[in-house]
Amino acid sequence: MIEDDAPADQVASRRPAYLEDLAGGVDRFFEPRRTRCPWCDSDALRARLRTTDLLQHKPGRFVLDECRDCGHIFQNPRLNPAGLEFYYRDCYDGLGEKNMTGMFESNRAGYRSRAELVRDIGTSGEWLDVGMGHGHFCQEAATVLPGVEFDGLDLGDGVESARRQGWIRTGYRGSFVDVAEDLAGRYDVVSMYHYLEHTTEPKRELAAAMTVLRPGGLLAIELPDPECRWARLLGRWWMPWLQPQHLNLMPIANLRAELAALGFTVIAEQRAEPHSAIDVLAVSLMAVNALTIAGEDLPWRDAPPRRWRRIVRKATFVVCVPLFVLASVVDRISAPFGRQRGWSNAYRVVARRDAA
């Protein structure tokens, strides 16, 4: 979703490039459909979800398949590099940066909880946050872990922004798998918070973490939990599906087994604590947004909406404020008992790199 007060000239300036990208349709943004699970290589696949882009409302339809043998869920067919660029554009930066920055800044409690888990295990030294976004985790974690040196890695320009603000010591811009050998044995902690689900080959990312860590170093991971009951109840409106950006969602048992195979020992797991109480609120926001999307000025559409459509959109959001408040109350009331009964929408794992 683009903030509604985005300057019209900024939207208009992006329109020609988007329309050129879409002139040939969206089929060119996808790889061939896979017939085997990318996690365990089984051919026992079934369609789990069919949806559209419910965040930005860019054109296209997306399918998540589930492996009946290992439970891995993955986008199939998967976006190719051109597709990933197209659907990420103006989401975390550009026209969407204001919304995303506000969301990141509102999660300070979550950042502290992540840092406290690693602190309680016992750590110090140098920490690399992979998929750092704009660096908000590093900023908050520094207050929990004084003396730890934070570096960050990502593909976007948030790396430079975080470095300028002093939230990280060193920033790397690029692919983690590509730079891992250059960083071999350099870090005491590597974190991947809501990162692996965005990657095309999560097993290679885990192997890269093994390379970068010193013997005895820690790998901290947080992921959407595809076994969450909200996922079944809400269907395609469950926000952590986040299509088309989330390419792989793995059950915790799969992650645990892969870490052991690589030479890690899992020393901590959290299934309840990482839960973010936003499932019902997210549904209500996305639903109202979808109903009124004709009133939003989007650069991947031929022309801006008529003025009356924009007025209706704004008025609808105002009228629905009580609905959003009620949804938030439901989330908060249900969270304490829901976390303990399989309703947590995320999980955390901390693993130690074996000395050998």
Side-chain angles (χ1 to χ4, degrees), residues 257-274:
E258 181 63 20
L259 288 171
L262 286 170
F264 287 97
T265 299
V266 174
I267 56 177
E269 293 182 3
Q270 291 183 335
R271 298 297 298 267
E273 293 85 348

Side-chain angles (χ1 to χ4, degrees), residues 156-174:
D157 57 11
V159 172
E160 284 80 17
S161 174
R163 186 167 49 194
R164 286 194 301 269
Q165 296 183 80
W167 296 349
I168 58 173
R169 177 187 60 179
T170 304
Y172 307 98
R173 189 168 181 178

